[in-house]
């Protein structure tokens, strides 16, 4: 982009050199607009790319043309001299950005230093989670220094994911802010696609899921349902024979639900210790273990976790050599006759799109507008709650009475029509306002006042939250609501998963204690509840983290996991992950979990 703007500016200077003479022959105030154009384009560059001192010569060259606006009609030589001077500055600018080693250098280490210090000073769960910042710094400082020297943005993404995993907190996350680099880093961080994902059934067996070549599975040539726009890059990351090899597993008889006994000669759970980072955080260890097989499926023969081979770019092998050809994996499985077989599957490209699609199939909720009701059967209705937000006007405030009044009328109407069960679909609920949660919970809570959370006492001088002699945060002002018990004789199911986070966890906690509410899911909710903030001003990324404590009435930290990494949100029933579930989700495209909740 910077070179494009430089060429535009240089072209304008050539044009202004010519115009200096034409403006005398054809007198018009419209020529003044042309002299303002270089400054306009320079300001556009600042808006799009930010102020950069490496662009100083370009900024100055463009600004010089403003001076020409005040020259009279006869000042042709002066105008041309300014055009030449500006052109010279732009050429100098182009030379600088071409040869200067510091230009557009990614501030990887500077970002780490700034984010780490902010996190160390303001993260509120360090004691509860046993975080040793000195130990973390000793571990990650040399890694980020090395990445900074090598300017490896892919490795930067990987190490940040490792770093944030150390906190087991759904609110701690790193986000790269450079659009194209984010996608490429994601694509090259999760290994290669061998035509399937992996999962562990509740019975303990590992099975193939989302297998290439079946109608409802992800396909390497698909551009549908691709909200991350993998299709814009994945073609260039595929081997030339990907299409010819795409039915390798199907031809071998592997389908969704086929039992996989070995991966390159080892049991799949033997790879767990090698998986050092994830797409997102898993505060609850049990939720983490459920997803581990999905990550293992990207690991090729003699390859380290996360290493991704793309055509023309070799990677280091576990044995220390280099992998320069398309990698493979040996998959041992049980065929239809009950015999153990092994097939060598070649890489079909990058694994990230299939992994992402697999997780969406498992974890996405009903794809309808937030707070939309849907009939499941004559006695059961579902309310989709994908985020704890009603509208832009109420989101930043605490008055959700309009939403509560609307839901109250709808709930009473359903009750009058004979509906007996309500299912709240909280799957992949990304959180939002706690007042939204209270606005719904009050309709179902037993009559009377209900305390939710206490704030913590802040020391205004140090801008930190105070702890008492026992190391607990001092309790401040409580929040509460008054229950209406509108559904006293009916049943409420909250359908959750590991992506039900923050205010989604709040609703699970608040309503989980009601006598007629049941919490179920393929996994528990995330278990992250503290208020969150972000480090802004980092040049290459931002870091979100828990920064404001929420306390339970007994003074304990609300919901978040401690050093045992065990979730503390209510959870009544784990939906069994069975062959029936695999078939329904990955072959038939059914919402098995919602149907289970409705019929539970």
């Amino acid at each position: 982009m910077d070179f494009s703007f430089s060429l535009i500016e240089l072209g304008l200077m050539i044009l202004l050199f010519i115009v200096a003479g034409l403006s005398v022959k054809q007198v018009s105030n419209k020529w003044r607009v042309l002299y303002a154009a270089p400054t306009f384009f320079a300001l556009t560059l600042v808006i799009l790319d930010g102020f950069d001192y490496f662009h100083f010569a370009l900024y100055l060259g463009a600004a010089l043309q403003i001076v020409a606006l005040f020259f009279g009609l006869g000042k042709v030589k002066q105008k041309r001299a300014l055009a030449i001077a500006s052109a010279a500055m732009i050429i100098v600018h182009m030379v600088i950005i071409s040869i200067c080693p510091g230009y557009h250098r990614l501030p990887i280490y500077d970002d780490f230093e700034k984010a780490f210090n902010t996190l160390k000073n303001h993260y509120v769960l360090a004691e509860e989670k046993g975080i040793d910042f000195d130990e973390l710094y000793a571990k990650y400082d040399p890694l980020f220094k090395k990445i900074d020297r090598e300017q490896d943005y892919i490795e930067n993404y990987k190490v940040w994911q490792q770093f944030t995993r150390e906190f087991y907190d759904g609110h701690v996350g790193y986000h790269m802010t450079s659009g194209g680099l984010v996608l490429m880093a994601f694509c090259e961080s999760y290994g290669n696609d061998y035509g399937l994902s992996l999962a562990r059934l509740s019975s303990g067996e590992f099975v193939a899921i989302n297998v290439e070549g079946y109608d409802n599975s992800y396909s390497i040539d698909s551009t549908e349902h691709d909200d991350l726009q993998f299709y814009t890059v994945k073609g260039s990351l595929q081997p030339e024979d990907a299409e010819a090899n795409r039915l390798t597993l199907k031809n071998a008889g592997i389908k969704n639900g086929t039992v996989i006994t070995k991966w390159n000669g080892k049991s799949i759970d033997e790879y767990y210790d090698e998986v050092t980072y994830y797409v997102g955080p898993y505060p609850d260890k049990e939720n983490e273990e459920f997803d581990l097989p999905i990550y293992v499926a990207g690991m090729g023969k003699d390859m380290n976790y996360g290493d991704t081979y793309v055509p023309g770019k070799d990677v280091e092998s576990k044995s220390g050599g280099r992998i320069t050809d398309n990698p493979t994996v040996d998959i041992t499985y049980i065929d239809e006759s009950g015999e153990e077989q092994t097939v060598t599957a070649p890489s079909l490209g990058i694994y990230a799109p299939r992994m992402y699609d697999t997780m969406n199939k498992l974890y996405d909720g009903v794809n309808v507008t937030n707070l939309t009701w849907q009939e499941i059967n004559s006695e059961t209705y579902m309310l989709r709650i994908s985020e704890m937000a009603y509208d832009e006007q109420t989101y930043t405030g605490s008055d959700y009475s309009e939403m509560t009044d609307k839901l109250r009328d709808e709930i009473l109407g359903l009750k009058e029509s004979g509906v007996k069960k309500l299912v709240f679909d909280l799957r992949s609920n990304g959180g939002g306002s706690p007042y939204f949660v209270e606005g719904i919970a009050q309709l179902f809570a037993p009559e009377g006042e209900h305390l939710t959370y206490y704030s913590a006492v802040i020391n205004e001088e140090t801008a930190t939250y105070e702890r008492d002699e026992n190391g607990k945060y001092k309790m401040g002002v409580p929040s509460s609501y008054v229950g209406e018990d509108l559904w006293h004789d009916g049943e409420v199911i909250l359908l959750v998963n590991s992506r039900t986070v923050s205010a989604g966890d709040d609703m699970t906690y608040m309503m989980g204690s009601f006598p007629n509410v049941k919490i179920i899911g393929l996994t528990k909710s995330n278990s992250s509840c503290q208020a969150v903030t972000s480090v802004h001003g980092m040049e290459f990324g931002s870091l979100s983290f828990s920064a404001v404590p929420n306390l339970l009435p007994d003074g304990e930290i609300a919901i978040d996991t401690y050093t045992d990494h065990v979730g503390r949100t209510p959870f009544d029933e784990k939906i069994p992950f069975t062959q029936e579930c695999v078939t329904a989700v990955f072959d038939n495209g059914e919402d098995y979990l919602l149907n289970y909740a409705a019929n539970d």
Side-chain angles (χ1 to χ4, degrees), residues 511-529:
M511 295 186 65
S513 62
F514 300 168
N516 60 341
V517 172
K518 187 176 183 180
I519 313 293
I520 70 173
L522 197 59
T523 64
K524 300 176 185 177
S525 65
N526 189 273
S527 289
S528 300
C529 182

Side-chain angles (χ1 to χ4, degrees), residues 22 27 39-40 102 118 174 195 244 273 275 311 364 449 480 528 533 550:
L22 292 176
V27 179
T39 300
F40 170 79
T118 304
Y174 173 75
D273 289 341
V275 180
D364 273 1
E449 184 179 23
S480 66
S528 300
T533 189
N550 288 325

Side-chain angles (χ1 to χ4, degrees), residues 142-198:
L143 296 179
F144 279 105
K145 282 181 177 176
K146 181 177 184 292
I147 297 167
D148 188 72
R149 287 195 302 271
E150 298 173 355
Q151 288 290 284
D152 189 340
Y153 68 90
I154 295 173
E155 198 64 24
N156 178 66
Y157 170 84
K158 292 180 179 180
V159 175
W160 268 116
Q161 298 303 106
Q162 291 178 42
F163 177 81
T164 55
R165 180 195 176 193
E166 303 271 6
F167 293 80
Y168 283 88
D169 184 338
H171 282 139
V172 178
Y174 173 75
H175 314 277
M176 287 174 62
T177 54
S178 182
L181 297 184
V182 176
L183 181 57
M184 289 305 296
F186 187 78
C187 285
E188 294 193 42
S189 293
Y190 293 97
N192 290 95
D193 180 8
Y194 301 100
L196 79 169
S197 288
L198 297 167

